[in-house]
Amino acid sequence: MKKNFLLFAIALLATTCVFNSCKEDEENFNDEGSKVSLPDERIFILNEGSYDGNNSCIDFYAPNNDLNSENKSFISNFNFTQNDIKLGDTGQDIIVYENNIFVSVFGSSLLVKYNSALVEQGRVQFSEQDGQPRYLTAKDNKIYVTLYSGKIAKIDAKTLIIEDYITVGKNPEEITQDANNLYVVNSGWGADSTISVVSIKDFSTIKTINVENNPFSVKYSNGKLFVLSYGKFYDYPLQMVDIYNNTVETIGNGVKIAENDGILYVVQSITDWATNKVENNFYSYNVQNNQKIEQSFIDISDCEEIASNSIYMFEINPKNGDFYISTSDFVTNGIVYRFNKNGKLITKFTSGGINPSHAVFIY
Amino acid sequence: MNNLLKFCIFAVGIVLPLFSFAQSDTTIERNLDEVLVKSKRNKFSTNSTQIITNEQLKLISVENIAEAVKLLNGVNVKDYGGIGGLKTLSVRSLGANHTAVILDGIAVSDCQSGPIDIGRFSINNVENIQLSIGHNDALLQSAKNFASGSVLNINSSKPVFYDKNNKSEIILKTGSFGYFNSEINTSQKLSNNLIIKSECEYLRADGNYPFLLKNGRNISTEKRNNSDIQSIRGQFDLFLLDTNKNELNVKIYGYYSDRHLPGAVILYNPIAREQLWDKNFFVQSNFKHKINNSLSYRIIGKYNYSWNKYEDHNVKYENGLKQDLNKQNEFYISSSILASLNNNFLFSLALDGFYNTLNSNMLNNPQPDRISLLSAFNSKYISNKFSATFTIVGTYITENVEFGTKPDLIKRLSPSFSLKFKPFDNKDFIIRTLIKETFRVPTFNELYYTTIGSTYLKPERAKEFNFGLSYQTKISNKFLLELSTDYYHNNVIDKIVAIPTTYVWKMHNCGKVKIDGLEINFASNYQFFNNLDLEFNVGYNYQEAKDITDKTTVYYKHQIAYTPKHSGNISAILKTKYVNLGYSAIASGIRYISKENMPENEVDKYIDQSVSISKKIEFQKLYFIIKFDILNFTNKQYEIIQYYPMPGRQFRISININF
């Protein structure tokens, strides 16, 4: 038994050495400690899991089907494969920053840092006073985490030390940035309706902008913010916010938004509460010329079911404009659909967990 | 409904039985109906009924109703662990809302959340616990008894006096994890037919038991935290027994508890700050009168007040605190009459009226009230070989809300039919069958709870079919054997489930479940010598409870959540000249935490075994019972609900002092 283990360890060490040495010249990856040799293009999918289920996990997906130089593309629960411990309860957000992966875990009150092969590098446990973590963004070697205590924590990306806090609104959710500022939406679970604008340089609030009630999502594009709120009547207004003039204009409705190359892509869900039926529309908005494009940006003729299920993940691969959209029934493992930039379905596959919610792209 | 009217209903309900008692005449007759129930010694009644006897309760390691109910076959107790953890029961996979819990003949109800937390009831003064599939066999019952899928009767013991007119008992119990329970009760015989009894009970536990937490390469022993409980119960009973002709029981009950809730075990985050307070007060009166050999009636009245406060401390809430306050009132009256035409035909009619209110501080709660009128008509034919019962229950329910929409009126008839056949005159062999259609109404939470509730909800329906055989034989004077088996087939239609749509969960009537099961019970009693007696019970239950809601889902025909295919229990009592020994075991196969039956959703099988040793010591006019228990003596680490670990090995010692 012991001998076998030793052999295995040597083999593992050998493979990682070989793997690392051939990586060094071309990429800035850190795959140290990886049990699997990974291709250069990688996608990590965060599954939120179910409430109190401790079943959040991160899947690995190789978009070029070149995992292990075979035609494989998928490893479910990859964080467990690599680290042999679970991620925790309710993975909330995942970002990639300088080829490291950062994940906020809401139920477990954690921020976990992984290297580019999803081998854990360290973690931050948030205190009761901090509150549970929500969403992430990163800039200049700092990770910014929204906390349910109504604060943003500024954390050093290398040392993982919490350096500072700033108080924003109630129950802050998504956070985004431009060159100078952080933008965070404060939901207050319906008791707030603001965006806080925070200067990155001196980490202080510059101003707050009022939007529709209960905002939960914010994206930045070309000097504009796009904000989704639940709204007083759960009608999900999509608002365009002019950062300089503080003007807010409702341009439609939507439940998910993603931005790529000056175009805002929107998923709109219309629910008939009496019959419990959902109808999804996929429209886009050209930020440069302020034009709404009603034409669906994906062709659903090969996957019509996507129009009538709850959309849970909506991400765009910045490298090639591929859309990654997931649906969830909140009970079984979600389905991930991948479309190319022109909206053609490339593939669909079952996720490794319940509620696949976010994806990050490393290339 | 104005306050005056409420008061009138209440006053009539409580006073009428007393008044009726004064009016009664003095003929001494047997109640035909009662005989049917009382003749059965234990688990094997003619109807599909199981009983846990007083002796089992005293000699086996059970300390509350929930622990006892786990020894009933076909019952699935959802137990969140620890003394303060919620414990509800579901019978034959119908769901917890389909079982009526009846305490001394009168229903215990919770219109807000539905299932009754049976862990709350003390076992100290319980005579027996009886579970009936369909309904209790006795005909002179409230309509509520006939209106559910199954009935759990908790029957308190009535004081019996031998040579004196008063007696008292002190019970002291202590054990692992800060468990302490004390009770003092005293009974007084005021006249030949008037008895009063008062009880006062205190219970506390820290509940900080250790458990094994497995997380990949990390295996650690953790402790449950924030799981302490304190409760006080006071009860006063009055019994009037007019030589078997009249019976009156008035009960006044008060309960208070303060508990912390540990919540699910969350990896890396042990913080739990939830707390729950409960207050419950009720007064109930239950009167039975036999007018003559062929006519008797019963009148029931009850007023129930329950209050609870829930708090959670977390910076995510406004001002760091979430606080829910709920108050419920219930006014209940019931009258029933039983008539026998001749020795073969019996008829009964029961009429119940409930008035329930809920006051809640929850957002958008419309402060609903509900009026429920239930009627049950029974006709029964009995002969030496046959017994056939036809029952029809009529329900009328209407609700009022202060704002918003209110649910539709409920007007329904639910029939049931049961048949028993005893083919051989000289053999205790019985064939029985039951067909029943019932439903349960949506709870106030399901209708009105913030965004989840839906006033579109209809009642959830259940159809039951049972076919069973039972055989009882005396192999020798010292050896008694009983065997029974039942096949059952149930359907749950319009099951009320929470469904998410665009990230908002809402209640809908859209579940369908098909249940097929087989239940086997075996019991024996063997007397080795004069002073050595073994009682042995085994139950095994196999059930397939399949989700047949939607063919297109991956979980179509999968076993529904938290329902084992295999489950069973054993209880054994060995009575010797010196001490009594008890053994019990509860076993369950794997279960799934969610709809999809995949390995990630599995919860491990378990067997939880307990032993006890007890001795009765007499000392002049006093007698003591000393008992020592080891619960879960193999220290099995298991969960009934995922991430709510159950306690491992525990010790308990108790002493009863009777004088």
Side-chain angles (χ1 to χ4, degrees):
Chain A
M1 192 64 205
K2 223 173 194 169
K3 205 172 156 191
N4 280 346
F5 177 73
L6 202 64
L7 272 174
F8 174 73
I10 291 166
L12 194 73
L13 204 64
T15 43
T16 30
C17 288
V18 169
F19 183 68
N20 279 339
S21 56
C22 65
K23 271 276 130 55
E24 262 165 25
D25 350 309
E26 42 183 290
E27 298 283 352
N28 197 16
F29 288 175
N30 170 13
D31 286 356
E32 205 181 318
S34 180
K35 293 174 184 169
V36 185
S37 134
L38 300 178
D40 289 352
E41 256 196 87
R42 312 165 179 191
I43 296 172
F44 296 95
I45 297 166
L46 175 67
N47 297 288
E48 194 175 284
S50 49
Y51 176 72
D52 278 359
N54 292 311
N55 56 349
S56 189
C57 65
I58 303 165
D59 302 328
F60 175 81
Y61 176 65
N64 302 325
N65 299 324
D66 53 357
L67 184 61
N68 293 327
S69 328
E70 292 161 36
N71 289 332
K72 277 180 154 181
S73 61
F74 190 73
I75 305 172
S76 68
N77 204 358
F78 190 57
N79 59 297
F80 195 81
T81 310
Q82 292 288 56
N83 304 288
D84 202 22
I85 58 165
K86 291 181 182 172
L87 177 61
D89 186 67
T90 315
Q92 195 67 43
D93 198 11
I94 185 167
I95 59 167
V96 59
Y97 179 66
E98 295 189 337
N99 286 333
N100 286 309
I101 295 159
F102 294 85
V103 182
S104 58
V105 190
F106 177 70
S108 296
S109 218
L110 276 181
L111 174 73
V112 189
K113 179 185 178 183
Y114 295 106
N115 68 10
S116 50
L118 215 64
V119 177
E120 186 176 331
Q121 306 296 301
R123 51 176 63 199
V124 180
Q125 184 81 53
F126 294 100
S127 71
E128 237 181 316
Q129 291 73 42
D130 293 338
Q132 290 157 279
R134 298 295 288 177
Y135 292 89
L136 308 169
T137 194
K139 175 110 183 154
D140 302 334
N141 196 39
K142 306 294 171 206
I143 307 294
Y144 296 94
V145 187
T146 57
L147 300 171
Y148 256 173
S149 55
K151 295 177 203 142
I152 302 172
K154 180 177 170 184
I155 298 170
D156 188 276
K158 288 208 170 67
T159 63
L160 295 182
I161 290 168
I162 302 178
E163 293 181 339
D164 205 357
Y165 297 97
I166 183 170
T167 300
V168 284
K170 292 172 189 161
N171 305 91
E173 298 283 3
E174 282 188 9
I175 181 166
T176 191
Q177 55 175 296
D178 60 13
N180 305 313
N181 297 327
L182 300 171
Y183 303 95
V184 58
V185 286
N186 305 304
S187 79
W189 292 350
D192 206 337
S193 47
T194 54
I195 306 173
S196 298
V197 182
V198 175
S199 149
I200 294 174
K201 208 175 119 204
D202 44 1
F203 204 44
S204 64
T205 305
I206 296 169
K207 60 183 174 184
T208 55
I209 302 169
N210 287 315
V211 289
E212 294 263 6
N213 186 248
N214 208 353
F216 62 94
S217 181
V218 61
K219 300 283 183 259
Y220 174 86
S221 181
N222 291 54
K224 301 246 167 51
L225 290 178
F226 292 86
V227 176
L228 285 176
S229 298
Y230 286 103
K232 276 254 181 284
F233 307 101
Y234 286 88
D235 53 351
Y236 297 92
L238 169 62
Q239 303 137 80
M240 182 167 69
V241 180
D242 188 310
I243 303 162
Y244 309 106
N245 305 324
N246 302 344
T247 53
V248 180
E249 184 191 346
T250 299
I251 56 167
N253 309 79
V255 294
K256 297 278 168 191
I257 44 177
E259 191 270 344
N260 188 41
D261 217 5
I263 310 273
L264 185 83
Y265 297 90
V266 187
V267 181
Q268 180 192 31
S269 286
I270 298 161
T271 307
D272 182 340
W273 293 108
T275 59
N276 199 30
K277 291 271 185 289
V278 178
E279 195 201 323
N280 298 320
N281 299 312
F282 304 86
Y283 69 87
S284 49
Y285 187 85
N286 187 323
V287 185
Q288 280 115 338
N289 63 15
N290 287 330
Q291 251 183 4
K292 195 170 172 181
I293 305 145
E294 296 285 357
Q295 167 82 33
S296 177
F297 57 84
I298 52 166
D299 172 12
I300 61 162
S301 54
D302 293 327
C303 55
E304 282 174 355
E305 72 280 2
I306 200 170
S308 56
N309 282 302
S310 291
I311 305 292
Y312 216 73
M313 173 172 82
F314 182 37
E315 302 278 3
I316 301 170
N317 187 345
K319 190 190 175 202
N320 55 16
D322 281 1
F323 298 100
Y324 289 82
I325 302 176
S326 85
T327 59
S328 174
D329 65 357
F330 304 80
V331 176
T332 62
N333 290 357
I335 311 287
V336 180
Y337 298 81
R338 176 185 170 198
F339 299 86
N340 70 12
K341 195 179 166 56
N342 304 320
K344 181 153 176 46
L345 182 71
I346 299 171
T347 183
K348 67 172 183 181
F349 54 91
T350 303
S351 181
I354 296 166
N355 295 334
S357 59
H358 291 94
V360 288
F361 307 88
I362 296 183
Y363 48 88
Chain B
M1 203 183 278
N2 61 39
N3 286 333
L4 185 66
L5 194 53
K6 276 185 241 172
F7 177 75
C8 287
I9 291 177
F10 167 61
V12 168
I14 300 295
V15 175
L16 198 62
L18 289 162
F19 175 71
S20 313
F21 187 83
Q23 295 254 307
S24 60
D25 61 71
T26 55
T27 349
I28 303 162
E29 290 293 345
R30 274 184 340 167
N31 184 328
L32 264 172
D33 200 46
E34 291 298 298
V35 175
L36 285 171
V37 178
K38 284 186 179 160
S39 66
K40 297 299 157 196
R41 217 186 102 258
N42 58 19
K43 284 191 172 182
F44 298 85
S45 149
T46 46
N47 201 357
S48 186
T49 297
Q50 299 175 57
I51 294 181
I52 294 182
T53 60
N54 182 272
E55 190 159 68
Q56 283 175 303
L57 294 174
K58 287 226 152 63
L59 300 180
I60 287 174
S61 304
V62 289
E63 296 301 347
N64 60 49
I65 297 290
E67 287 177 7
V69 164
K70 286 179 183 172
L71 292 167
L72 293 166
N73 204 348
V75 173
N76 189 1
V77 175
K78 266 198 166 185
D79 187 339
Y80 287 79
I83 288 164
L86 178 71
K87 292 158 180 64
T88 60
L89 82 161
S90 164
V91 178
R92 293 180 171 182
S93 302
L94 289 177
N97 284 300
H98 286 277
T99 303
V101 176
I102 293 184
L103 177 66
D104 291 330
I106 302 178
V108 182
S109 66
D110 182 347
C111 281
Q112 186 186 9
S113 53
I116 306 295
D117 181 5
I118 51 168
R120 208 181 83 184
F121 297 105
S122 165
I123 210 136
N124 287 344
N125 293 284
V126 173
E127 180 62 27
N128 63 46
I129 299 167
Q130 187 177 339
L131 177 76
S132 314
I133 301 301
H135 41 257
N136 192 308
D137 234 7
L139 292 188
L140 190 60
Q141 303 270 352
S142 64
K144 178 80 181 168
N145 171 69
F146 301 101
S148 298
S150 58
V151 179
L152 183 79
N153 284 92
I154 302 167
N155 300 312
S156 304
S157 45
K158 280 179 199 133
V160 181
F161 297 92
Y162 296 103
D163 51 354
K164 50 182 184 176
N165 287 334
N166 61 72
K167 61 176 196 173
S168 301
E169 187 182 26
I170 294 171
I171 305 168
L172 296 167
K173 297 176 186 175
T174 186
S176 309
F177 319 122
Y179 173 72
F180 177 75
N181 178 208
S182 64
E183 176 176 323
I184 177 157
N185 66 62
T186 177
S187 311
Q188 188 86 35
K189 191 172 169 182
L190 295 178
S191 75
N192 268 344
N193 47 27
L194 180 63
I195 298 165
I196 54 169
K197 182 178 186 183
S198 59
E199 296 164 27
C200 187
E201 185 181 2
Y202 170 76
L203 177 130
R204 76 170 306 282
D206 295 322
N208 53 346
Y209 52 88
F211 64 95
L212 204 64
L213 181 62
K214 291 180 191 168
N215 174 16
R217 62 179 150 94
N218 287 353
I219 296 172
S220 56
T221 301
E222 307 281 331
K223 263 189 179 177
R224 281 314 249 158
N225 65 36
N226 199 49
S227 58
D228 57 293
I229 179 168
Q230 275 202 79
S231 73
I232 307 166
R233 177 179 64 96
Q235 195 173 318
F236 172 81
D237 273 278
L238 178 146
F239 302 94
L240 267 164
L241 295 158
D242 182 8
T243 49
N244 271 346
K245 198 187 148 299
N246 295 300
E247 238 183 279
L248 172 72
N249 173 215
V250 177
K251 189 190 293 290
I252 301 168
Y253 175 101
Y255 175 84
Y256 171 80
S257 78
D258 171 0
R259 64 182 108 179
H260 286 93
L261 309 174
V265 172
I266 300 296
L267 290 176
Y268 321 118
N269 183 6
I271 296 161
R273 296 270 182 262
E274 289 175 297
Q275 193 171 2
L276 180 70
W277 292 264
D278 275 292
K279 284 182 205 165
N280 183 206
F281 168 80
F282 68 76
V283 48
Q284 69 180 31
S285 162
N286 185 349
F287 173 68
K288 272 193 286 187
H289 173 53
K290 271 148 255 168
I291 295 168
N292 56 43
N293 197 11
S294 57
L295 206 60
S296 48
Y297 66 87
R298 181 197 281 253
I299 296 171
I300 286 168
K302 182 178 183 177
Y303 165 69
N304 186 75
Y305 170 78
S306 56
W307 171 97
N308 67 59
K309 182 168 82 171
Y310 164 88
E311 277 186 7
D312 189 17
H313 295 265
N314 187 318
V315 291
K316 68 187 175 189
Y317 305 118
E318 191 135 30
N319 304 318
L321 175 71
K322 177 182 163 71
Q323 190 182 62
D324 292 342
L325 269 172
N326 299 293
K327 272 185 250 173
Q328 285 189 81
N329 279 293
E330 177 176 86
F331 300 86
Y332 171 36
I333 48 172
S334 162
S335 60
S336 46
I337 184 157
L338 171 71
S340 59
L341 270 188
N342 50 44
N343 280 336
N344 299 112
F345 281 104
L346 296 166
F347 296 96
S348 83
L349 180 68
L351 297 168
D352 287 14
F354 294 85
Y355 175 66
N356 292 86
T357 67
L358 168 68
N359 265 286
S360 171
N361 75 338
M362 282 182 288
L363 191 68
N364 297 331
N365 192 291
Q367 319 301 341
D369 61 59
R370 173 184 286 177
I371 296 167
S372 319
L373 300 171
L374 270 71
S375 59
F377 173 75
N378 289 283
S379 55
K380 187 168 197 161
Y381 170 81
I382 311 172
S383 73
N384 284 340
K385 282 195 157 144
F386 274 109
S387 145
T389 312
F390 175 74
T391 303
I392 187 149
V393 179
T395 309
Y396 174 92
I397 295 174
T398 176
E399 289 188 30
N400 279 304
V401 286
E402 281 181 7
F403 54 87
T405 51
K406 61 178 190 177
D408 290 343
L409 270 182
I410 296 171
K411 276 189 274 185
R412 298 221 177 188
L413 288 176
S414 13
S416 71
F417 180 70
S418 70
L419 192 69
K420 280 162 233 156
F421 178 48
K422 187 168 177 280
F424 313 107
D425 286 338
N426 54 354
K427 280 204 172 81
D428 264 334
F429 177 67
I430 288 163
I431 303 169
R432 59 181 171 227
T433 186
L434 166 84
I435 301 171
K436 182 164 184 171
E437 235 190 279
T438 60
F439 63 91
R440 64 103 174 168
V441 290
T443 64
F444 284 152
N445 277 350
E446 287 164 340
L447 291 167
Y448 307 111
Y449 189 79
T450 59
T451 52
I452 297 167
S454 165
T455 49
Y456 294 116
L457 288 179
K458 298 176 290 182
E460 173 181 308
R461 295 187 289 149
K463 288 180 184 174
E464 291 172 279
F465 170 76
N466 186 81
F467 178 80
L469 308 170
S470 93
Y471 181 59
Q472 189 170 335
T473 183
K474 223 174 183 178
I475 289 173
S476 71
N477 269 343
K478 293 178 171 179
F479 191 18
L480 197 76
L481 260 186
E482 299 169 349
L483 185 69
S484 87
T485 178
D486 286 272
Y487 161 75
Y488 57 91
H489 175 83
N490 300 334
N491 277 294
V492 181
I493 306 147
D494 295 334
K495 193 176 167 82
I496 298 173
V497 282
I499 304 246
T501 318
T502 359
Y503 328 115
V504 179
W505 292 75
K506 245 190 166 35
M507 306 306 297
H508 290 277
N509 284 100
C510 73
K512 259 191 219 160
V513 185
K514 191 178 89 170
I515 302 137
D516 284 285
L518 186 73
E519 194 177 291
I520 300 167
N521 290 300
F522 170 84
S524 72
N525 202 320
Y526 189 79
Q527 198 181 13
F528 296 94
F529 311 108
N530 254 349
N531 283 314
L532 191 64
D533 188 282
L534 176 72
E535 194 189 306
F536 186 72
N537 294 284
V538 188
Y540 167 75
N541 189 62
Y542 176 80
Q543 61 183 333
E544 284 186 358
K546 288 177 176 170
D547 187 328
I548 52 162
T549 308
D550 183 356
K551 271 184 187 167
T552 63
T553 57
V554 292
Y555 48 83
Y556 180 67
K557 288 202 170 172
H558 283 201
Q559 186 86 353
I560 59 169
Y562 289 119
T563 307
K565 275 192 176 165
H566 305 276
S567 59
N569 56 71
I570 300 171
S571 76
I573 296 167
L574 184 70
K575 283 184 278 184
T576 74
K577 198 175 169 183
Y578 309 102
V579 291
N580 294 320
L581 299 168
Y583 167 83
S584 62
I586 306 148
S588 166
I590 58 154
R591 288 135 294 136
Y592 296 96
I593 58 160
S594 179
K595 289 180 177 182
E596 192 178 356
N597 293 179
M598 59 176 183
E600 289 88 339
N601 286 343
E602 262 178 43
V603 185
D604 269 348
K605 56 183 189 268
Y606 66 85
I607 173 162
D608 179 339
Q609 304 176 76
S610 301
V611 283
S612 70
I613 180 165
S614 56
K615 181 160 178 64
K616 187 171 167 179
I617 303 162
E618 280 181 68
F619 180 76
Q620 294 176 344
K621 285 190 169 174
L622 294 170
Y623 76 88
F624 300 88
I625 299 167
I626 296 169
K627 188 176 172 218
F628 179 67
D629 300 283
I630 310 173
L631 288 92
N632 191 1
F633 64 81
T634 62
N635 199 25
K636 176 75 186 167
Q637 300 289 305
Y638 71 100
E639 290 168 341
I640 292 176
I641 307 296
Q642 195 196 30
Y643 291 116
Y644 284 87
M646 297 294 290
R649 189 182 299 121
Q650 302 155 74
F651 301 95
R652 278 182 201 161
I653 186 157
S654 72
I655 178 162
N656 288 34
I657 308 159
N658 291 267
F659 52 91

